[in-house]
Structures are given as structure tokens and as C-alpha cells.
PDB file of all heavy atoms in Angstrom:
ATOM      1  N   LYS A   1     -10.241  45.371 -24.160  1.00 97.00           N
ATOM      2  CA  LYS A   1     -10.374  43.963 -24.430  1.00 97.00           C
ATOM      3  C   LYS A   1     -11.163  43.236 -23.390  1.00 97.00           C
ATOM      4  O   LYS A   1     -11.411  43.863 -22.267  1.00 97.00           O
ATOM      5  CB  LYS A   1      -8.963  43.264 -24.475  1.00 97.00           C
ATOM      6  CG  LYS A   1      -8.159  43.596 -25.734  1.00 97.00           C
ATOM      7  CD  LYS A   1      -6.719  42.859 -25.618  1.00 97.00           C
ATOM      8  CE  LYS A   1      -6.853  41.400 -25.451  1.00 97.00           C
ATOM      9  NZ  LYS A   1      -5.478  40.754 -25.380  1.00 97.00           N
ATOM     10  N   LYS A   2     -11.521  42.062 -23.612  1.00 97.00           N
ATOM     11  CA  LYS A   2     -12.265  41.209 -22.681  1.00 97.00           C
ATOM     12  C   LYS A   2     -11.377  40.056 -22.241  1.00 97.00           C
ATOM     13  O   LYS A   2     -10.894  39.360 -22.974  1.00 97.00           O
ATOM     14  CB  LYS A   2     -13.586  40.565 -23.150  1.00 97.00           C
ATOM     15  CG  LYS A   2     -14.615  41.636 -23.539  1.00 97.00           C
ATOM     16  CD  LYS A   2     -15.385  42.171 -22.192  1.00 97.00           C
ATOM     17  CE  LYS A   2     -16.474  43.064 -22.569  1.00 97.00           C
ATOM     18  NZ  LYS A   2     -17.195  43.577 -21.441  1.00 97.00           N
ATOM     19  N   TYR A   3     -10.900  39.990 -20.950  1.00 98.00           N
ATOM     20  CA  TYR A   3     -10.031  39.167 -20.530  1.00 98.00           C
ATOM     21  C   TYR A   3     -10.654  38.035 -19.625  1.00 98.00           C
ATOM     22  O   TYR A   3     -11.531  38.313 -18.877  1.00 98.00           O
ATOM     23  CB  TYR A   3      -8.943  39.788 -19.603  1.00 98.00           C
ATOM     24  CG  TYR A   3      -8.075  40.758 -20.302  1.00 98.00           C
ATOM     25  CD1 TYR A   3      -8.342  42.089 -20.468  1.00 98.00           C
ATOM     26  CD2 TYR A   3      -6.726  40.234 -20.823  1.00 98.00           C
ATOM     27  CE1 TYR A   3      -7.469  42.845 -21.081  1.00 98.00           C
ATOM     28  CE2 TYR A   3      -5.877  41.020 -21.437  1.00 98.00           C
ATOM     29  CZ  TYR A   3      -6.218  42.377 -21.566  1.00 98.00           C
ATOM     30  OH  TYR A   3      -5.430  43.272 -22.189  1.00 98.00           O
ATOM     31  N   PRO A   4     -10.204  36.740 -19.826  1.00 98.00           N
ATOM     32  CA  PRO A   4     -10.693  35.810 -18.815  1.00 98.00           C
ATOM     33  C   PRO A   4     -10.179  36.076 -17.426  1.00 98.00           C
ATOM     34  O   PRO A   4      -8.987  36.571 -17.333  1.00 98.00           O
ATOM     35  CB  PRO A   4     -10.146  34.566 -19.363  1.00 98.00           C
ATOM     36  CG  PRO A   4      -8.933  34.849 -20.074  1.00 98.00           C
ATOM     37  CD  PRO A   4      -9.204  36.161 -20.641  1.00 98.00           C
ATOM     38  N   VAL A   5     -10.870  35.728 -16.308  1.00 98.00           N
ATOM     39  CA  VAL A   5     -10.386  36.042 -15.021  1.00 98.00           C
ATOM     40  C   VAL A   5     -10.414  34.671 -14.269  1.00 98.00           C
ATOM     41  O   VAL A   5     -11.270  33.808 -14.378  1.00 98.00           O
ATOM     42  CB  VAL A   5     -11.348  36.971 -14.343  1.00 98.00           C
ATOM     43  CG1 VAL A   5     -12.790  36.388 -14.168  1.00 98.00           C
ATOM     44  CG2 VAL A   5     -10.898  37.426 -13.012  1.00 98.00           C
ATOM     45  N   ILE A   6      -9.269  34.654 -13.380  1.00 98.00           N
ATOM     46  CA  ILE A   6      -9.134  33.502 -12.463  1.00 98.00           C
ATOM     47  C   ILE A   6      -9.262  34.106 -10.988  1.00 98.00           C
ATOM     48  O   ILE A   6      -8.341  34.995 -10.692  1.00 98.00           O
ATOM     49  CB  ILE A   6      -7.787  32.810 -12.571  1.00 98.00           C
ATOM     50  CG1 ILE A   6      -7.708  32.267 -13.928  1.00 98.00           C
ATOM     51  CG2 ILE A   6      -7.691  31.701 -11.543  1.00 98.00           C
ATOM     52  CD1 ILE A   6      -6.381  31.629 -14.295  1.00 98.00           C
ATOM     53  N   PHE A   7     -10.232  33.687 -10.202  1.00 98.00           N
ATOM     54  CA  PHE A   7     -10.184  34.072  -8.733  1.00 98.00           C
ATOM     55  C   PHE A   7      -9.358  32.975  -8.069  1.00 98.00           C
ATOM     56  O   PHE A   7      -9.758  31.843  -7.955  1.00 98.00           O
ATOM     57  CB  PHE A   7     -11.622  34.214  -8.302  1.00 98.00           C
ATOM     58  CG  PHE A   7     -12.483  35.235  -8.809  1.00 98.00           C
ATOM     59  CD1 PHE A   7     -13.191  35.096  -9.917  1.00 98.00           C
ATOM     60  CD2 PHE A   7     -12.273  36.458  -8.153  1.00 98.00           C
ATOM     61  CE1 PHE A   7     -13.841  36.142 -10.498  1.00 98.00           C
ATOM     62  CE2 PHE A   7     -13.094  37.698  -8.643  1.00 98.00           C
ATOM     63  CZ  PHE A   7     -13.897  37.372  -9.812  1.00 98.00           C
ATOM     64  N   HIS A   8      -8.401  33.344  -7.459  1.00 98.00           N
ATOM     65  CA  HIS A   8      -7.507  32.499  -6.621  1.00 98.00           C
ATOM     66  C   HIS A   8      -7.898  32.650  -5.181  1.00 98.00           C
ATOM     67  O   HIS A   8      -7.755  33.762  -4.648  1.00 98.00           O
ATOM     68  CB  HIS A   8      -5.996  32.775  -6.820  1.00 98.00           C
ATOM     69  CG  HIS A   8      -5.071  31.745  -6.044  1.00 98.00           C
ATOM     70  ND1 HIS A   8      -3.770  32.036  -5.833  1.00 98.00           N
ATOM     71  CD2 HIS A   8      -5.375  30.579  -5.477  1.00 98.00           C
ATOM     72  CE1 HIS A   8      -3.223  30.980  -5.184  1.00 98.00           C
ATOM     73  NE2 HIS A   8      -4.238  30.188  -4.895  1.00 98.00           N
ATOM     74  N   VAL A   9      -8.496  31.784  -4.559  1.00 98.00           N
ATOM     75  CA  VAL A   9      -9.097  31.836  -3.301  1.00 98.00           C
ATOM     76  C   VAL A   9      -8.613  31.059  -2.105  1.00 98.00           C
ATOM     77  O   VAL A   9      -7.906  30.159  -2.317  1.00 98.00           O
ATOM     78  CB  VAL A   9     -10.700  31.541  -3.365  1.00 98.00           C
ATOM     79  CG1 VAL A   9     -11.298  32.361  -4.450  1.00 98.00           C
ATOM     80  CG2 VAL A   9     -10.853  30.067  -3.831  1.00 98.00           C
ATOM     81  N   TYR A  10      -8.818  31.588  -0.955  1.00 98.00           N
ATOM     82  CA  TYR A  10      -8.705  30.730   0.332  1.00 98.00           C
ATOM     83  C   TYR A  10      -9.946  30.923   1.209  1.00 98.00           C
ATOM     84  O   TYR A  10     -10.879  30.196   1.261  1.00 98.00           O
ATOM     85  CB  TYR A  10      -7.485  31.131   1.110  1.00 98.00           C
ATOM     86  CG  TYR A  10      -7.182  30.131   2.180  1.00 98.00           C
ATOM     87  CD1 TYR A  10      -6.669  28.916   2.059  1.00 98.00           C
ATOM     88  CD2 TYR A  10      -7.458  30.550   3.519  1.00 98.00           C
ATOM     89  CE1 TYR A  10      -6.531  27.946   2.968  1.00 98.00           C
ATOM     90  CE2 TYR A  10      -7.323  29.634   4.625  1.00 98.00           C
ATOM     91  CZ  TYR A  10      -6.836  28.490   4.296  1.00 98.00           C
ATOM     92  OH  TYR A  10      -6.723  27.398   5.406  1.00 98.00           O
ATOM     93  N   GLY A  11      -9.928  32.181   1.953  1.00 97.00           N
ATOM     94  CA  GLY A  11     -11.248  32.572   2.577  1.00 97.00           C
ATOM     95  C   GLY A  11     -11.672  31.967   3.910  1.00 97.00           C
ATOM     96  O   GLY A  11     -12.667  32.310   4.438  1.00 97.00           O
ATOM     97  N   GLU A  12     -10.625  31.175   4.505  1.00 97.00           N
ATOM     98  CA  GLU A  12     -11.036  30.739   5.890  1.00 97.00           C
ATOM     99  C   GLU A  12     -10.094  31.568   6.850  1.00 97.00           C
ATOM    100  O   GLU A  12      -9.283  32.420   6.460  1.00 97.00           O
ATOM    101  CB  GLU A  12     -10.691  29.227   5.928  1.00 97.00           C
ATOM    102  CG  GLU A  12     -11.801  28.460   5.079  1.00 97.00           C
ATOM    103  CD  GLU A  12     -11.876  27.101   5.549  1.00 97.00           C
ATOM    104  OE1 GLU A  12     -11.198  26.609   6.451  1.00 97.00           O
ATOM    105  OE2 GLU A  12     -12.708  26.362   4.695  1.00 97.00           O
ATOM    106  N   PRO A  13     -10.352  31.301   8.266  1.00 95.00           N
ATOM    107  CA  PRO A  13      -9.595  32.154   9.153  1.00 95.00           C
ATOM    108  C   PRO A  13      -8.068  31.992   9.275  1.00 95.00           C
ATOM    109  O   PRO A  13      -7.490  32.627  10.131  1.00 95.00           O
ATOM    110  CB  PRO A  13     -10.214  31.620  10.566  1.00 95.00           C
ATOM    111  CG  PRO A  13     -11.464  31.155  10.139  1.00 95.00           C
ATOM    112  CD  PRO A  13     -11.188  30.500   8.804  1.00 95.00           C
ATOM    113  N   TRP A  14      -7.541  31.224   8.374  1.00 92.00           N
ATOM    114  CA  TRP A  14      -6.033  30.910   8.565  1.00 92.00           C
ATOM    115  C   TRP A  14      -5.117  31.602   7.412  1.00 92.00           C
ATOM    116  O   TRP A  14      -4.025  31.439   7.422  1.00 92.00           O
ATOM    117  CB  TRP A  14      -5.793  29.414   8.581  1.00 92.00           C
ATOM    118  CG  TRP A  14      -4.695  29.077   9.365  1.00 92.00           C
ATOM    119  CD1 TRP A  14      -3.509  28.454   9.015  1.00 92.00           C
ATOM    120  CD2 TRP A  14      -4.486  29.304  10.747  1.00 92.00           C
ATOM    121  NE1 TRP A  14      -2.640  28.226   9.980  1.00 92.00           N
ATOM    122  CE2 TRP A  14      -3.150  28.802  11.146  1.00 92.00           C
ATOM    123  CE3 TRP A  14      -5.399  29.863  11.766  1.00 92.00           C
ATOM    124  CZ2 TRP A  14      -2.747  28.857  12.505  1.00 92.00           C
ATOM    125  CZ3 TRP A  14      -4.860  29.916  13.093  1.00 92.00           C
ATOM    126  CH2 TRP A  14      -3.632  29.366  13.405  1.00 92.00           C
ATOM    127  N   LYS A  15      -5.859  32.278   6.603  1.00 94.00           N
ATOM    128  CA  LYS A  15      -4.876  32.824   5.518  1.00 94.00           C
ATOM    129  C   LYS A  15      -5.555  34.138   4.921  1.00 94.00           C
ATOM    130  O   LYS A  15      -6.779  34.207   4.673  1.00 94.00           O
ATOM    131  CB  LYS A  15      -4.585  31.900   4.425  1.00 94.00           C
ATOM    132  CG  LYS A  15      -3.634  32.283   3.446  1.00 94.00           C
ATOM    133  CD  LYS A  15      -3.210  31.131   2.541  1.00 94.00           C
ATOM    134  CE  LYS A  15      -2.175  31.424   1.500  1.00 94.00           C
ATOM    135  NZ  LYS A  15      -1.885  30.263   0.569  1.00 94.00           N
ATOM    136  N   GLN A  16      -4.624  35.126   4.523  1.00 96.00           N
ATOM    137  CA  GLN A  16      -5.057  36.365   3.941  1.00 96.00           C
ATOM    138  C   GLN A  16      -4.452  36.315   2.479  1.00 96.00           C
ATOM    139  O   GLN A  16      -3.262  35.977   2.417  1.00 96.00           O
ATOM    140  CB  GLN A  16      -4.562  37.626   4.737  1.00 96.00           C
ATOM    141  CG  GLN A  16      -5.113  38.946   4.292  1.00 96.00           C
ATOM    142  CD  GLN A  16      -4.578  39.909   5.079  1.00 96.00           C
ATOM    143  OE1 GLN A  16      -4.027  39.724   6.167  1.00 96.00           O
ATOM    144  NE2 GLN A  16      -4.690  41.283   4.738  1.00 96.00           N
ATOM    145  N   MET A  17      -5.243  36.718   1.497  1.00 97.00           N
ATOM    146  CA  MET A  17      -4.852  36.560   0.196  1.00 97.00           C
ATOM    147  C   MET A  17      -4.329  37.780  -0.572  1.00 97.00           C
ATOM    148  O   MET A  17      -3.420  37.808  -1.369  1.00 97.00           O
ATOM    149  CB  MET A  17      -5.857  35.745  -0.701  1.00 97.00           C
ATOM    150  CG  MET A  17      -6.042  34.410  -0.323  1.00 97.00           C
ATOM    151  SD  MET A  17      -4.800  33.171  -0.716  1.00 97.00           S
ATOM    152  CE  MET A  17      -4.915  33.187  -2.526  1.00 97.00           C
ATOM    153  N   ALA A  18      -5.187  38.764  -0.282  1.00 98.00           N
ATOM    154  CA  ALA A  18      -4.992  40.120  -1.028  1.00 98.00           C
ATOM    155  C   ALA A  18      -3.921  40.913  -0.318  1.00 98.00           C
ATOM    156  O   ALA A  18      -4.180  42.068   0.227  1.00 98.00           O
ATOM    157  CB  ALA A  18      -6.248  40.901  -1.194  1.00 98.00           C
ATOM    158  N   THR A  19      -2.743  40.425  -0.378  1.00 97.00           N
ATOM    159  CA  THR A  19      -1.645  41.089   0.423  1.00 97.00           C
ATOM    160  C   THR A  19      -0.598  41.735  -0.423  1.00 97.00           C
ATOM    161  O   THR A  19      -0.433  41.221  -1.646  1.00 97.00           O
ATOM    162  CB  THR A  19      -0.936  40.036   1.298  1.00 97.00           C
ATOM    163  OG1 THR A  19      -0.371  38.990   0.489  1.00 97.00           O
ATOM    164  CG2 THR A  19      -1.968  39.454   2.292  1.00 97.00           C
ATOM    165  N   ASP A  20       0.199  42.634  -0.022  1.00 98.00           N
ATOM    166  CA  ASP A  20       1.204  43.303  -0.641  1.00 98.00           C
ATOM    167  C   ASP A  20       2.559  42.512  -0.592  1.00 98.00           C
ATOM    168  O   ASP A  20       3.559  43.004  -0.063  1.00 98.00           O
ATOM    169  CB  ASP A  20       1.366  44.721  -0.169  1.00 98.00           C
ATOM    170  CG  ASP A  20       2.116  45.669  -1.183  1.00 98.00           C
ATOM    171  OD1 ASP A  20       2.508  45.121  -2.314  1.00 98.00           O
ATOM    172  OD2 ASP A  20       2.313  46.774  -0.835  1.00 98.00           O
ATOM    173  N   THR A  21       2.460  41.227  -1.031  1.00 97.00           N
ATOM    174  CA  THR A  21       3.622  40.348  -0.924  1.00 97.00           C
ATOM    175  C   THR A  21       3.873  39.922  -2.466  1.00 97.00           C
ATOM    176  O   THR A  21       2.860  39.873  -3.226  1.00 97.00           O
ATOM    177  CB  THR A  21       3.346  39.066  -0.053  1.00 97.00           C
ATOM    178  OG1 THR A  21       2.199  38.466  -0.433  1.00 97.00           O
ATOM    179  CG2 THR A  21       3.398  39.535   1.403  1.00 97.00           C
ATOM    180  N   TRP A  22       5.042  39.480  -2.733  1.00 97.00           N
ATOM    181  CA  TRP A  22       5.399  39.055  -4.128  1.00 97.00           C
ATOM    182  C   TRP A  22       4.401  38.078  -4.586  1.00 97.00           C
ATOM    183  O   TRP A  22       4.043  37.026  -3.942  1.00 97.00           O
ATOM    184  CB  TRP A  22       6.808  38.523  -4.201  1.00 97.00           C
ATOM    185  CG  TRP A  22       7.190  38.176  -5.581  1.00 97.00           C
ATOM    186  CD1 TRP A  22       7.095  39.080  -6.671  1.00 97.00           C
ATOM    187  CD2 TRP A  22       7.881  37.068  -5.976  1.00 97.00           C
ATOM    188  NE1 TRP A  22       7.700  38.493  -7.791  1.00 97.00           N
ATOM    189  CE2 TRP A  22       8.139  37.263  -7.481  1.00 97.00           C
ATOM    190  CE3 TRP A  22       8.398  35.877  -5.390  1.00 97.00           C
ATOM    191  CZ2 TRP A  22       8.846  36.312  -8.250  1.00 97.00           C
ATOM    192  CZ3 TRP A  22       9.057  35.049  -6.250  1.00 97.00           C
ATOM    193  CH2 TRP A  22       9.321  35.218  -7.557  1.00 97.00           C
ATOM    194  N   ILE A  23       3.998  38.364  -5.872  1.00 98.00           N
ATOM    195  CA  ILE A  23       2.838  37.388  -6.350  1.00 98.00           C
ATOM    196  C   ILE A  23       3.364  36.052  -6.769  1.00 98.00           C
ATOM    197  O   ILE A  23       2.624  35.096  -6.856  1.00 98.00           O
ATOM    198  CB  ILE A  23       2.282  38.078  -7.688  1.00 98.00           C
ATOM    199  CG1 ILE A  23       3.204  38.410  -8.645  1.00 98.00           C
ATOM    200  CG2 ILE A  23       1.434  39.307  -7.151  1.00 98.00           C
ATOM    201  CD1 ILE A  23       2.683  38.988 -10.001  1.00 98.00           C
ATOM    202  N   GLY A  24       4.673  35.942  -7.116  1.00 97.00           N
ATOM    203  CA  GLY A  24       5.285  34.649  -7.440  1.00 97.00           C
ATOM    204  C   GLY A  24       5.171  34.291  -8.993  1.00 97.00           C
ATOM    205  O   GLY A  24       4.507  34.908  -9.803  1.00 97.00           O
ATOM    206  N   LEU A  25       5.960  33.323  -9.277  1.00 98.00           N
ATOM    207  CA  LEU A  25       6.166  32.931 -10.711  1.00 98.00           C
ATOM    208  C   LEU A  25       4.944  32.492 -11.322  1.00 98.00           C
ATOM    209  O   LEU A  25       4.624  32.746 -12.574  1.00 98.00           O
ATOM    210  CB  LEU A  25       7.297  31.961 -10.892  1.00 98.00           C
ATOM    211  CG  LEU A  25       8.724  32.496 -10.506  1.00 98.00           C
ATOM    212  CD1 LEU A  25       9.740  31.387 -10.544  1.00 98.00           C
ATOM    213  CD2 LEU A  25       9.167  33.572 -11.552  1.00 98.00           C
ATOM    214  N   TYR A  26       4.154  31.630 -10.644  1.00 98.00           N
ATOM    215  CA  TYR A  26       2.938  31.093 -11.352  1.00 98.00           C
ATOM    216  C   TYR A  26       1.984  32.077 -11.709  1.00 98.00           C
ATOM    217  O   TYR A  26       1.344  32.051 -12.827  1.00 98.00           O
ATOM    218  CB  TYR A  26       2.295  29.974 -10.444  1.00 98.00           C
ATOM    219  CG  TYR A  26       1.263  29.219 -11.195  1.00 98.00           C
ATOM    220  CD1 TYR A  26       1.525  28.375 -12.224  1.00 98.00           C
ATOM    221  CD2 TYR A  26      -0.066  29.203 -10.689  1.00 98.00           C
ATOM    222  CE1 TYR A  26       0.560  27.732 -12.902  1.00 98.00           C
ATOM    223  CE2 TYR A  26      -1.091  28.364 -11.312  1.00 98.00           C
ATOM    224  CZ  TYR A  26      -0.674  27.731 -12.415  1.00 98.00           C
ATOM    225  OH  TYR A  26      -1.722  27.062 -13.124  1.00 98.00           O
ATOM    226  N   ASP A  27       1.710  33.131 -10.916  1.00 98.00           N
ATOM    227  CA  ASP A  27       0.805  34.132 -11.217  1.00 98.00           C
ATOM    228  C   ASP A  27       1.301  34.972 -12.461  1.00 98.00           C
ATOM    229  O   ASP A  27       0.517  35.445 -13.274  1.00 98.00           O
ATOM    230  CB  ASP A  27       0.564  34.984 -10.035  1.00 98.00           C
ATOM    231  CG  ASP A  27      -0.693  34.382  -9.153  1.00 98.00           C
ATOM    232  OD1 ASP A  27      -1.295  33.454  -9.541  1.00 98.00           O
ATOM    233  OD2 ASP A  27      -0.843  34.913  -8.025  1.00 98.00           O
ATOM    234  N   ILE A  28       2.571  35.207 -12.554  1.00 98.00           N
ATOM    235  CA  ILE A  28       3.240  35.910 -13.547  1.00 98.00           C
ATOM    236  C   ILE A  28       2.980  35.066 -14.838  1.00 98.00           C
ATOM    237  O   ILE A  28       2.648  35.628 -15.892  1.00 98.00           O
ATOM    238  CB  ILE A  28       4.749  36.112 -13.381  1.00 98.00           C
ATOM    239  CG1 ILE A  28       5.022  37.031 -12.170  1.00 98.00           C
ATOM    240  CG2 ILE A  28       5.413  36.601 -14.747  1.00 98.00           C
ATOM    241  CD1 ILE A  28       6.490  37.200 -11.728  1.00 98.00           C
ATOM    242  N   PHE A  29       3.161  33.779 -14.734  1.00 98.00           N
ATOM    243  CA  PHE A  29       2.917  32.792 -15.817  1.00 98.00           C
ATOM    244  C   PHE A  29       1.609  32.933 -16.407  1.00 98.00           C
ATOM    245  O   PHE A  29       1.296  32.998 -17.561  1.00 98.00           O
ATOM    246  CB  PHE A  29       3.270  31.403 -15.554  1.00 98.00           C
ATOM    247  CG  PHE A  29       2.898  30.391 -16.449  1.00 98.00           C
ATOM    248  CD1 PHE A  29       3.567  30.131 -17.630  1.00 98.00           C
ATOM    249  CD2 PHE A  29       1.710  29.553 -16.187  1.00 98.00           C
ATOM    250  CE1 PHE A  29       3.129  29.130 -18.514  1.00 98.00           C
ATOM    251  CE2 PHE A  29       1.313  28.564 -17.057  1.00 98.00           C
ATOM    252  CZ  PHE A  29       2.053  28.362 -18.210  1.00 98.00           C
ATOM    253  N   LEU A  30       0.526  32.941 -15.401  1.00 98.00           N
ATOM    254  CA  LEU A  30      -0.758  32.947 -15.801  1.00 98.00           C
ATOM    255  C   LEU A  30      -1.215  34.258 -16.507  1.00 98.00           C
ATOM    256  O   LEU A  30      -2.014  34.355 -17.397  1.00 98.00           O
ATOM    257  CB  LEU A  30      -1.771  32.718 -14.663  1.00 98.00           C
ATOM    258  CG  LEU A  30      -1.747  31.339 -14.037  1.00 98.00           C
ATOM    259  CD1 LEU A  30      -2.655  31.170 -12.758  1.00 98.00           C
ATOM    260  CD2 LEU A  30      -2.363  30.236 -15.089  1.00 98.00           C
ATOM    261  N   ALA A  31      -0.608  35.315 -15.930  1.00 98.00           N
ATOM    262  CA  ALA A  31      -0.990  36.659 -16.563  1.00 98.00           C
ATOM    263  C   ALA A  31      -0.313  36.720 -17.936  1.00 98.00           C
ATOM    264  O   ALA A  31      -0.846  37.281 -18.849  1.00 98.00           O
ATOM    265  CB  ALA A  31      -0.250  37.756 -15.698  1.00 98.00           C
ATOM    266  N   GLN A  32       0.819  36.025 -18.191  1.00 98.00           N
ATOM    267  CA  GLN A  32       1.410  35.998 -19.587  1.00 98.00           C
ATOM    268  C   GLN A  32       0.459  35.191 -20.497  1.00 98.00           C
ATOM    269  O   GLN A  32       0.600  35.370 -21.777  1.00 98.00           O
ATOM    270  CB  GLN A  32       2.883  35.351 -19.530  1.00 98.00           C
ATOM    271  CG  GLN A  32       3.797  36.264 -18.874  1.00 98.00           C
ATOM    272  CD  GLN A  32       5.195  35.727 -18.813  1.00 98.00           C
ATOM    273  OE1 GLN A  32       5.363  34.507 -19.157  1.00 98.00           O
ATOM    274  NE2 GLN A  32       6.236  36.385 -18.478  1.00 98.00           N
ATOM    275  N   LYS A  33      -0.267  34.327 -19.952  1.00 97.00           N
ATOM    276  CA  LYS A  33      -1.335  33.598 -20.711  1.00 97.00           C
ATOM    277  C   LYS A  33      -2.625  34.501 -21.005  1.00 97.00           C
ATOM    278  O   LYS A  33      -3.506  33.940 -21.578  1.00 97.00           O
ATOM    279  CB  LYS A  33      -1.671  32.302 -20.090  1.00 97.00           C
ATOM    280  CG  LYS A  33      -0.532  31.326 -20.011  1.00 97.00           C
ATOM    281  CD  LYS A  33      -0.167  30.848 -21.327  1.00 97.00           C
ATOM    282  CE  LYS A  33       0.924  29.783 -21.314  1.00 97.00           C
ATOM    283  NZ  LYS A  33       1.364  29.122 -22.648  1.00 97.00           N
ATOM    284  N   ASP A  34      -2.560  35.681 -20.586  1.00 97.00           N
ATOM    285  CA  ASP A  34      -3.628  36.600 -20.836  1.00 97.00           C
ATOM    286  C   ASP A  34      -4.797  36.397 -19.742  1.00 97.00           C
ATOM    287  O   ASP A  34      -5.919  36.929 -20.004  1.00 97.00           O
ATOM    288  CB  ASP A  34      -4.194  36.587 -22.218  1.00 97.00           C
ATOM    289  CG  ASP A  34      -4.024  37.969 -22.855  1.00 97.00           C
ATOM    290  OD1 ASP A  34      -3.232  38.868 -22.427  1.00 97.00           O
ATOM    291  OD2 ASP A  34      -4.693  38.279 -23.945  1.00 97.00           O
ATOM    292  N   PHE A  35      -4.521  35.961 -18.626  1.00 98.00           N
ATOM    293  CA  PHE A  35      -5.526  35.850 -17.572  1.00 98.00           C
ATOM    294  C   PHE A  35      -5.452  37.080 -16.658  1.00 98.00           C
ATOM    295  O   PHE A  35      -4.261  37.559 -16.374  1.00 98.00           O
ATOM    296  CB  PHE A  35      -5.297  34.640 -16.699  1.00 98.00           C
ATOM    297  CG  PHE A  35      -5.752  33.296 -17.213  1.00 98.00           C
ATOM    298  CD1 PHE A  35      -4.821  32.318 -17.837  1.00 98.00           C
ATOM    299  CD2 PHE A  35      -7.115  33.067 -17.381  1.00 98.00           C
ATOM    300  CE1 PHE A  35      -5.308  31.152 -18.204  1.00 98.00           C
ATOM    301  CE2 PHE A  35      -7.533  31.829 -17.934  1.00 98.00           C
ATOM    302  CZ  PHE A  35      -6.654  30.902 -18.241  1.00 98.00           C
TER     303      PHE A  35
END
């Protein structure tokens, strides 16, 4: 299939995003919307 993609970003010296921590409910919700 072809899925729409959302890049959830930060990118400055104060935060790391691609971490092995719980993704949380909102990302689960977005994935359920087929993102």
C-alpha cells in the first residue's frame, strides 16, 4: 500500500526524538488513522 506519512520533529539541541521510549496514545491514534 501507499501510506501518508507524518514527520514529527524537534531538531534543536534540547531534545532527542527517535528514542526507545513509549510512543504514547496520540501516535497510536494517528497510526490507527493509517498514518
